[in-house]
C-alpha cells in the first residue's frame, strides 16, 4: 500500500522519462504549470547521479532535484538522500508515530508527485 509510494519515490528516476521545464522562479504553492530547472544541483541530484539505478542521468537527476527544491526543505532533502543508501529507512519514517515524520512524509509525497509529473521522458 504505502510501501508502493516508497518504491516509487526511491526509484522515481527509473520511472521518470522527461523534464518539462526551463528555468524560472517557482513558489512552493505553484499550480500544475510550474517549471523546474533541468540541471538543478543539490544533495538529491548528487545521490541520484551516484546511485546504481540504470535510468539515472544528469538531466533526470537535475530535474528531480529541481522538484525537491520546490517541495522539500534542506533537512527534508538530507533525509530523502538517506533513503538512497537505506530504502528501509523510508519505510520506518513513513510508519513512524512521530508528528515530524508524518509532516515530512506529506511533503515527500508532494515531492514525488511533482518529480513524476515534471520529469517524464528524460
Amino acid at each position: 500500500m504505502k510501501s508502493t509510494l516508497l518504491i516509487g519515490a526511491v526509484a522515481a528516476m527509473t520511472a521518470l522519462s522527461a523534464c518539462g521545464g526551463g528555468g524560472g522562479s517557482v513558489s512552493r504553492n505553484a499550480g500544475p504549470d510550474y517549471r523546474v530547472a533541468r540541471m538543478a544541483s543539490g544533495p538529491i541530484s548528487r545521490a541520484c547521479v551516484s546511485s546504481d539505478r540504470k535510468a539515472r542521468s544528469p538531466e533526470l537527476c537535475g530535474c528531480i532535484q529541481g522538484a525537491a527544491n520546490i517541495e522539500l526543505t534542506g533537512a527534508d532533502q538530507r533525509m530523502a538522500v538517506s533513503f538512497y543508501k537505506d530504502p528501509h529507512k523510508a519505510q520506518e519514517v513513513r510508519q513512524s508515530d512521530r508528528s515530524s515524520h508524518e509532516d515530512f512524509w506529506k511533503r515527500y509525497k508532494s515531492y514525488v508527485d511533482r518529480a513524476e509529473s515534471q520529469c517524464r521522458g528524460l
Side-chain angles (χ1 to χ4, degrees):
M1 145 173 153
K2 287 188 179 182
S3 64
T4 304
L5 174 63
L6 165 64
I7 293 167
V10 173
M13 72 194 82
T14 61
L16 301 174
S17 48
C19 185
S25 78
V26 179
S27 72
R28 284 188 82 114
N29 297 323
D33 283 339
Y34 53 77
R35 293 182 177 256
V36 176
R38 280 187 183 263
M39 295 302 293
S41 63
I44 290 179
S45 176
R46 287 187 295 275
C48 172
V49 168
S50 66
S51 74
D52 61 357
R53 290 167 176 83
K54 292 178 185 175
R56 76 186 186 281
S57 71
E59 294 81 11
L60 179 58
C61 294
C63 185
I64 292 169
Q65 178 67 54
N69 289 347
I70 294 167
E71 298 292 341
L72 302 175
T73 66
D76 290 345
Q77 290 185 34
R78 288 187 293 278
M79 183 175 294
V81 164
S82 72
F83 299 164
Y84 280 86
K85 298 171 189 159
D86 182 8
H88 182 68
K89 182 175 180 180
Q91 185 72 1
E92 291 172 352
V93 169
R94 187 189 62 77
Q95 292 180 328
S96 169
D97 290 335
R98 293 178 59 188
S99 62
S100 61
H101 284 167
E102 183 177 335
D103 293 342
F104 164 80
W105 201 258
K106 288 176 184 174
R107 292 187 301 273
Y108 188 74
K109 178 161 179 3
S110 293
Y111 150 68
V112 170
D113 292 345
R114 184 178 295 260
E116 286 178 341
S117 71
Q118 190 66 36
C119 303
R120 289 188 207 284
L122 240 174

Short mmCIF file of all heavy atoms in Angstrom, two decimals, residues 5-50:
data_model
loop_
_atom_site.label_atom_id
_atom_site.label_comp_id
_atom_site.label_asym_id
_atom_site.label_seq_id
_atom_site.Cartn_x
_atom_site.Cartn_y
_atom_site.Cartn_z
N LEU A 5 4.48 3.65 -2.57
CA LEU A 5 4.93 5.03 -2.68
C LEU A 5 6.42 5.11 -2.43
O LEU A 5 7.14 5.79 -3.16
CB LEU A 5 4.18 5.91 -1.68
CG LEU A 5 4.64 7.36 -1.58
CD1 LEU A 5 4.42 8.06 -2.91
CD2 LEU A 5 3.91 8.06 -0.48
N LEU A 6 6.90 4.40 -1.43
CA LEU A 6 8.33 4.38 -1.12
C LEU A 6 9.11 3.90 -2.32
O LEU A 6 10.08 4.52 -2.74
CB LEU A 6 8.60 3.50 0.08
CG LEU A 6 10.06 3.10 0.29
CD1 LEU A 6 10.89 4.33 0.59
CD2 LEU A 6 10.16 2.10 1.39
N ILE A 7 8.70 2.79 -2.86
CA ILE A 7 9.41 2.23 -4.01
C ILE A 7 9.37 3.20 -5.16
O ILE A 7 10.37 3.44 -5.83
CB ILE A 7 8.82 0.86 -4.39
CG1 ILE A 7 9.10 -0.15 -3.29
CG2 ILE A 7 9.36 0.38 -5.72
CD1 ILE A 7 8.32 -1.44 -3.39
N GLY A 8 8.22 3.80 -5.39
CA GLY A 8 8.09 4.79 -6.47
C GLY A 8 8.97 6.00 -6.23
O GLY A 8 9.57 6.53 -7.16
N ALA A 9 9.05 6.43 -4.98
CA ALA A 9 9.85 7.61 -4.67
C ALA A 9 11.33 7.33 -4.80
O ALA A 9 12.06 8.10 -5.43
CB ALA A 9 9.53 8.09 -3.26
N VAL A 10 11.77 6.25 -4.20
CA VAL A 10 13.19 5.94 -4.23
C VAL A 10 13.63 5.60 -5.66
O VAL A 10 14.72 5.93 -6.09
CB VAL A 10 13.52 4.78 -3.26
CG1 VAL A 10 14.95 4.34 -3.39
CG2 VAL A 10 13.24 5.22 -1.83
N ALA A 11 12.76 4.97 -6.40
CA ALA A 11 13.08 4.58 -7.77
C ALA A 11 12.47 5.54 -8.78
O ALA A 11 12.36 5.21 -9.96
CB ALA A 11 12.61 3.16 -8.03
N ALA A 12 12.09 6.73 -8.35
CA ALA A 12 11.42 7.67 -9.25
C ALA A 12 12.24 7.92 -10.51
O ALA A 12 11.68 8.00 -11.61
CB ALA A 12 11.16 8.99 -8.53
N MET A 13 13.53 7.98 -10.36
CA MET A 13 14.33 8.27 -11.54
C MET A 13 14.26 7.16 -12.58
O MET A 13 14.47 7.42 -13.76
CB MET A 13 15.77 8.56 -11.16
CG MET A 13 16.54 7.35 -10.73
SD MET A 13 18.05 7.77 -9.92
CE MET A 13 17.40 8.11 -8.30
N THR A 14 13.94 5.96 -12.17
CA THR A 14 13.84 4.89 -13.16
C THR A 14 12.51 4.95 -13.90
O THR A 14 12.41 4.46 -15.02
CB THR A 14 13.99 3.51 -12.51
OG1 THR A 14 12.97 3.31 -11.57
CG2 THR A 14 15.36 3.36 -11.89
N ALA A 15 11.51 5.54 -13.28
CA ALA A 15 10.20 5.62 -13.91
C ALA A 15 10.00 6.92 -14.67
O ALA A 15 9.14 7.02 -15.53
CB ALA A 15 9.12 5.48 -12.86
N LEU A 16 10.79 7.90 -14.34
CA LEU A 16 10.63 9.21 -14.97
C LEU A 16 11.30 9.22 -16.32
O LEU A 16 12.33 8.64 -16.51
CB LEU A 16 11.25 10.28 -14.08
CG LEU A 16 10.65 10.34 -12.70
CD1 LEU A 16 11.42 11.32 -11.85
CD2 LEU A 16 9.21 10.70 -12.74
N SER A 17 10.71 9.95 -17.23
CA SER A 17 11.32 9.95 -18.54
C SER A 17 11.50 11.32 -19.17
O SER A 17 12.15 11.40 -20.18
CB SER A 17 10.55 9.03 -19.47
OG SER A 17 9.18 9.29 -19.37
N ALA A 18 10.94 12.39 -18.64
CA ALA A 18 11.21 13.70 -19.24
C ALA A 18 11.02 14.81 -18.25
O ALA A 18 10.19 14.74 -17.39
CB ALA A 18 10.31 13.96 -20.43
N CYS A 19 11.78 15.81 -18.43
CA CYS A 19 11.66 17.00 -17.60
C CYS A 19 10.99 18.07 -18.45
O CYS A 19 11.45 18.36 -19.53
CB CYS A 19 13.03 17.46 -17.13
SG CYS A 19 12.93 18.82 -15.98
N GLY A 20 9.94 18.64 -17.97
CA GLY A 20 9.18 19.56 -18.79
C GLY A 20 9.59 20.99 -18.67
O GLY A 20 8.98 21.83 -19.31
N GLY A 21 10.56 21.33 -17.89
CA GLY A 21 10.67 22.73 -17.63
C GLY A 21 11.95 23.39 -17.98
O GLY A 21 12.99 22.78 -18.12
N GLY A 22 11.86 24.67 -18.14
CA GLY A 22 13.02 25.53 -18.23
C GLY A 22 13.25 26.10 -16.86
O GLY A 22 12.81 25.56 -15.88
N GLY A 23 13.88 27.25 -16.82
CA GLY A 23 14.15 27.87 -15.53
C GLY A 23 12.95 28.64 -15.05
O GLY A 23 11.83 28.36 -15.36
N GLY A 24 13.23 29.67 -14.32
CA GLY A 24 12.16 30.49 -13.81
C GLY A 24 11.98 30.26 -12.33
O GLY A 24 12.32 29.23 -11.81
N SER A 25 11.42 31.27 -11.67
CA SER A 25 11.22 31.08 -10.25
C SER A 25 9.84 30.51 -10.02
O SER A 25 8.90 30.79 -10.73
CB SER A 25 11.39 32.42 -9.52
OG SER A 25 10.24 33.19 -9.65
N VAL A 26 9.76 29.67 -9.03
CA VAL A 26 8.53 28.95 -8.75
C VAL A 26 8.32 28.98 -7.25
O VAL A 26 9.25 28.78 -6.49
CB VAL A 26 8.66 27.48 -9.23
CG1 VAL A 26 7.40 26.72 -8.92
CG2 VAL A 26 8.97 27.43 -10.70
N SER A 27 7.10 29.21 -6.83
CA SER A 27 6.82 29.18 -5.40
C SER A 27 6.45 27.77 -4.99
O SER A 27 6.08 26.94 -5.81
CB SER A 27 5.67 30.13 -5.08
OG SER A 27 4.45 29.59 -5.56
N ARG A 28 6.52 27.51 -3.70
CA ARG A 28 6.17 26.18 -3.18
C ARG A 28 4.73 25.83 -3.49
O ARG A 28 4.38 24.69 -3.60
CB ARG A 28 6.35 26.14 -1.67
CG ARG A 28 7.77 26.05 -1.24
CD ARG A 28 7.79 25.82 0.24
NE ARG A 28 7.59 24.41 0.45
CZ ARG A 28 8.49 23.61 0.97
NH1 ARG A 28 9.63 24.07 1.35
NH2 ARG A 28 8.26 22.34 1.13
N ASN A 29 3.89 26.82 -3.63
CA ASN A 29 2.46 26.58 -3.85
C ASN A 29 2.09 26.68 -5.32
O ASN A 29 0.95 26.92 -5.65
CB ASN A 29 1.63 27.56 -3.03
CG ASN A 29 1.85 27.39 -1.55
OD1 ASN A 29 2.01 26.28 -1.08
ND2 ASN A 29 1.89 28.47 -0.82
N ALA A 30 3.04 26.49 -6.18
CA ALA A 30 2.78 26.60 -7.60
C ALA A 30 1.76 25.57 -8.04
O ALA A 30 1.71 24.47 -7.53
CB ALA A 30 4.08 26.39 -8.38
N GLY A 31 0.96 25.95 -9.02
CA GLY A 31 -0.05 25.04 -9.57
C GLY A 31 0.57 24.09 -10.57
O GLY A 31 1.78 23.91 -10.61
N PRO A 32 -0.24 23.50 -11.41
CA PRO A 32 0.25 22.48 -12.33
C PRO A 32 1.14 23.02 -13.44
O PRO A 32 1.78 22.25 -14.13
CB PRO A 32 -1.04 21.88 -12.91
CG PRO A 32 -2.10 22.86 -12.62
CD PRO A 32 -1.67 23.65 -11.43
N ASP A 33 1.24 24.33 -13.62
CA ASP A 33 2.08 24.90 -14.66
C ASP A 33 3.47 25.25 -14.19
O ASP A 33 4.19 25.99 -14.84
CB ASP A 33 1.44 26.16 -15.24
CG ASP A 33 0.31 25.82 -16.18
OD1 ASP A 33 0.26 24.69 -16.68
OD2 ASP A 33 -0.53 26.70 -16.41
N TYR A 34 3.90 24.72 -13.04
CA TYR A 34 5.22 25.03 -12.51
C TYR A 34 6.30 24.57 -13.47
O TYR A 34 6.10 23.71 -14.31
CB TYR A 34 5.43 24.39 -11.13
CG TYR A 34 5.15 22.92 -11.12
CD1 TYR A 34 6.06 22.01 -11.64
CD2 TYR A 34 3.96 22.45 -10.61
CE1 TYR A 34 5.79 20.67 -11.64
CE2 TYR A 34 3.68 21.10 -10.62
CZ TYR A 34 4.60 20.22 -11.14
OH TYR A 34 4.33 18.89 -11.14
N ARG A 35 7.47 25.13 -13.32
CA ARG A 35 8.63 24.72 -14.11
C ARG A 35 9.75 24.37 -13.15
O ARG A 35 9.87 24.96 -12.10
CB ARG A 35 9.07 25.85 -15.03
CG ARG A 35 8.05 26.14 -16.10
CD ARG A 35 8.60 27.24 -17.01
NE ARG A 35 7.65 27.47 -18.05
CZ ARG A 35 7.82 27.04 -19.30
NH1 ARG A 35 8.89 26.37 -19.64
NH2 ARG A 35 6.92 27.28 -20.21
N VAL A 36 10.57 23.44 -13.56
CA VAL A 36 11.70 23.01 -12.75
C VAL A 36 12.94 23.12 -13.61
O VAL A 36 12.94 22.71 -14.76
CB VAL A 36 11.51 21.54 -12.27
CG1 VAL A 36 12.72 21.06 -11.52
CG2 VAL A 36 10.26 21.43 -11.41
N ALA A 37 14.00 23.66 -13.04
CA ALA A 37 15.25 23.76 -13.78
C ALA A 37 15.76 22.37 -14.10
O ALA A 37 15.79 21.50 -13.24
CB ALA A 37 16.29 24.53 -12.97
N ARG A 38 16.18 22.14 -15.34
CA ARG A 38 16.65 20.83 -15.76
C ARG A 38 17.90 20.39 -15.01
O ARG A 38 18.08 19.22 -14.76
CB ARG A 38 16.97 20.82 -17.25
CG ARG A 38 15.78 20.68 -18.12
CD ARG A 38 16.25 20.52 -19.55
NE ARG A 38 15.12 20.44 -20.43
CZ ARG A 38 14.60 19.30 -20.87
NH1 ARG A 38 15.14 18.16 -20.52
NH2 ARG A 38 13.56 19.30 -21.64
N MET A 39 18.78 21.29 -14.71
CA MET A 39 20.07 20.90 -14.17
C MET A 39 20.28 21.46 -12.76
O MET A 39 21.35 21.92 -12.45
CB MET A 39 21.19 21.35 -15.11
CG MET A 39 21.16 20.65 -16.46
SD MET A 39 21.26 18.86 -16.34
CE MET A 39 22.91 18.67 -15.72
N ALA A 40 19.27 21.41 -11.93
CA ALA A 40 19.44 21.85 -10.55
C ALA A 40 20.46 20.93 -9.87
O ALA A 40 20.56 19.76 -10.18
CB ALA A 40 18.10 21.79 -9.81
N SER A 41 21.21 21.50 -8.96
CA SER A 41 22.18 20.68 -8.23
C SER A 41 21.86 20.73 -6.75
O SER A 41 21.27 21.68 -6.26
CB SER A 41 23.61 21.16 -8.49
OG SER A 41 23.76 22.47 -8.01
N GLY A 42 22.21 19.68 -6.07
CA GLY A 42 21.96 19.60 -4.64
C GLY A 42 22.15 18.18 -4.16
O GLY A 42 22.59 17.31 -4.92
N PRO A 43 21.78 17.92 -2.93
CA PRO A 43 22.05 16.61 -2.34
C PRO A 43 21.31 15.47 -3.03
O PRO A 43 21.86 14.37 -3.20
CB PRO A 43 21.62 16.75 -0.89
CG PRO A 43 20.70 17.93 -0.86
CD PRO A 43 21.17 18.84 -1.96
N ILE A 44 20.08 15.69 -3.44
CA ILE A 44 19.32 14.62 -4.09
C ILE A 44 19.90 14.35 -5.48
O ILE A 44 20.05 13.20 -5.88
CB ILE A 44 17.83 14.96 -4.14
CG1 ILE A 44 17.27 14.88 -2.72
CG2 ILE A 44 17.07 14.03 -5.10
CD1 ILE A 44 15.82 15.22 -2.57
N SER A 45 20.25 15.39 -6.20
CA SER A 45 20.87 15.21 -7.52
C SER A 45 22.17 14.41 -7.41
O SER A 45 22.41 13.48 -8.19
CB SER A 45 21.14 16.57 -8.16
OG SER A 45 21.80 16.43 -9.38
N ARG A 46 22.99 14.75 -6.43
CA ARG A 46 24.26 14.02 -6.25
C ARG A 46 24.01 12.55 -5.89
O ARG A 46 24.68 11.66 -6.42
CB ARG A 46 25.12 14.71 -5.19
CG ARG A 46 25.72 16.03 -5.68
CD ARG A 46 26.72 16.60 -4.68
NE ARG A 46 26.11 16.99 -3.42
CZ ARG A 46 25.53 18.16 -3.17
NH1 ARG A 46 25.46 19.07 -4.13
NH2 ARG A 46 25.02 18.42 -1.99
N ALA A 47 23.06 12.30 -5.00
CA ALA A 47 22.75 10.91 -4.64
C ALA A 47 22.19 10.15 -5.83
O ALA A 47 22.54 8.99 -6.05
CB ALA A 47 21.76 10.89 -3.48
N CYS A 48 21.39 10.81 -6.61
CA CYS A 48 20.80 10.20 -7.80
C CYS A 48 21.88 9.82 -8.81
O CYS A 48 21.93 8.68 -9.29
CB CYS A 48 19.80 11.19 -8.41
SG CYS A 48 19.12 10.74 -10.00
N VAL A 49 22.76 10.76 -9.12
CA VAL A 49 23.82 10.51 -10.10
C VAL A 49 24.75 9.40 -9.63
O VAL A 49 25.22 8.59 -10.44
CB VAL A 49 24.61 11.81 -10.40
CG1 VAL A 49 25.88 11.53 -11.16
CG2 VAL A 49 23.74 12.79 -11.17
N SER A 50 25.01 9.33 -8.34
CA SER A 50 25.94 8.32 -7.85
C SER A 50 25.26 6.98 -7.54
O SER A 50 25.94 6.03 -7.17
CB SER A 50 26.68 8.83 -6.61
OG SER A 50 25.77 9.01 -5.55
#
